[in-house]
Amino acid sequence: MAKNTSNITRLTGSQTPPVEIMDQLKQHPVAYGLYLKFPTQYQKEFLDFCSGEESIYLCYDAFFHFVFDTNRHLDRVEHLLSALLNQNVRIIEVLPREGTQMAEMGSEVIVDLLVRLEDRTLVNLEIQKYGYNFPAMRMDCYCADLIMREYNRLHNKYGNKFTYQKLHPVIAIVLLEQSPSEFRSLPGIYIHHGNTIWDSGLKLPSLTRQVYVCLDKFNNVMQNKDIETELEAWLTALTTRSLARIDELICKFPGFADIYREIFEFRTRPEELIHMYSEVLAAADRNMDRIMIDEMREEIEKLSREIAEKKQTLADKDAALADKDAALADKDAALADKDAALNRQQARIEELTAKLAALEKK
């Protein structure tokens, strides 16, 4: 792919030396203090962006919600969902997550957006930094939670006139930054659409539809491939920091220029940008704590199962030994009875021998 950054140059302007960026940041002591606490990776990302070397990673929560602010850019959310669902969608309502019953504190969900479409379908979009264990079970729980939310809302609204036909479908979309093991066995496939299918061919519609998008696998697929479709364009925008790649994106899909125009304006406000990065780091720390907790719990459960299995094995062996001991005891008792019988027989022989000897003397 030829490198052509003419579009990017118009959007970003000339590059700024890192020393000038640091001088500007030092004029804001609080922001500069935050920068000094950043890990090296985030300091480098920050300076690379402000200097005009690279873009920002849009999957970071703060930047995603800035770009897809539903108050300012609902159309962008509609276009993203249209590409993910492969259908034209129009959003009529943005819903708060507070109405749901599930609340996994410190979860690895880094973006969470819930909307209602024109046909009343609920769509929940999440971006997860680390793939959960048991992704299918969790997805089923999310869908069930949203269905119960709608059930309660409609039941309260219609009372005795409520019918299940009033319920509308729920679509759960999860973008995975790092795919769980279940998805790695299908090379080259990065998006999965699923719903309930009956082996008999029964046509019985389900309320739930699920979509998984593996961003890491998408990046692998696109390494030596040009951007061709709307879906590839949106996923590229979400995942790339390469200016050359962004330039290709804008050349083929000019509508993305507005997104990057807004993003690159942050280059002139590093003191504001640093606070957004600080939110990213705080979320990353919470996620890492949660991951460690989940991993430790899983290890504890695994070890507990192994210990229980070993205890059961030992108990089975003890029971087998006890059975053997009981059998040996029975055999010992039988042998003792036989010995006693032999002794009685031997005594009888001796008695009879003595009597016989006495008779023979007469």
Side-chain angles (χ1 to χ4, degrees), residues 65-77:
H65 283 295
F66 173 80
V67 169
F68 296 97
D69 184 344
T70 53
N71 293 318
R72 298 184 302 118
H73 299 300
L74 191 61
D75 58 320
R76 290 178 184 171
V77 182

Side-chain angles (χ1 to χ4, degrees), residues 28 32 38 73 134 195 199 248 260 282 296-297 323 356:
H28 304 271
Y32 182 63
F38 282 5
H73 299 300
F134 318 114
N195 53 22
D199 60 355
E248 178 195 356
Y260 287 101
M296 285 188 286
R297 283 177 177 170
D323 291 340
L356 179 61

Side-chain angles (χ1 to χ4, degrees), residues 28-216:
H28 304 271
V30 174
Y32 182 63
L34 289 173
Y35 170 83
L36 294 178
K37 295 178 182 179
F38 282 5
T40 303
Q41 171 196 344
Y42 287 93
Q43 287 184 345
K44 183 178 186 305
E45 283 187 20
F46 176 81
L47 288 177
D48 285 347
F49 172 72
C50 291
S51 64
E53 291 288 339
E54 289 187 322
S55 182
I56 283 176
Y57 185 52
L58 294 189
C59 275
Y60 287 152
D61 181 81
F63 304 122
F64 182 93
H65 283 295
F66 173 80
V67 169
F68 296 97
D69 184 344
T70 53
N71 293 318
R72 298 184 302 118
H73 299 300
L74 191 61
D75 58 320
R76 290 178 184 171
V77 182
E78 290 177 336
H79 292 154
L80 173 60
L81 293 180
S82 295
L84 291 171
L85 297 175
N86 194 29
Q87 66 183 69
N88 292 325
V89 304
R90 190 174 78 84
I91 296 170
I92 61 172
E93 186 180 7
V94 179
L95 302 172
R97 284 291 300 183
E98 287 74 12
T100 61
Q101 299 176 31
M102 290 186 66
E104 296 189 82
M105 295 302 294
S107 69
E108 298 109 42
V109 177
I110 56 176
V111 169
D112 196 355
L113 182 66
L114 180 61
V115 298
R116 190 186 305 280
L117 304 184
E118 189 174 26
D119 63 359
R120 311 304 295 177
T121 297
L122 281 182
V123 179
N124 183 44
L125 171 66
E126 291 185 355
I127 300 179
Q128 295 176 6
K129 187 169 184 62
Y130 302 100
Y132 283 122
N133 294 326
F134 318 114
M137 293 76 166
R138 290 179 182 270
M139 183 78 99
D140 286 341
C141 289
Y142 292 152
C143 290
D145 183 45
L146 292 174
I147 290 173
M148 287 308 302
R149 168 183 173 143
E150 280 296 278
Y151 171 86
N152 291 331
R153 183 183 71 85
L154 293 171
H155 201 279
N156 291 334
K157 179 179 179 180
Y158 292 103
N160 293 334
K161 295 182 179 180
F162 169 81
T163 66
Y164 285 96
Q165 288 180 324
K166 295 185 182 297
L167 289 171
H168 295 278
V170 169
I171 303 176
I173 306 173
V174 175
L175 278 61
L176 300 160
E177 285 196 25
Q178 297 182 24
S179 304
S181 58
E182 292 88 342
F183 297 89
R184 297 174 194 155
S185 60
L186 299 169
I189 302 175
Y190 58 82
I191 187 166
H192 309 266
H193 296 261
N195 53 22
T196 302
I197 298 177
W198 299 91
D199 60 355
S200 62
L202 177 67
K203 302 299 182 183
L204 196 62
S206 171
L207 284 176
T208 61
R209 178 180 166 192
Q210 302 173 353
V211 182
Y212 293 96
V213 183
C214 304
L215 298 179
D216 51 350

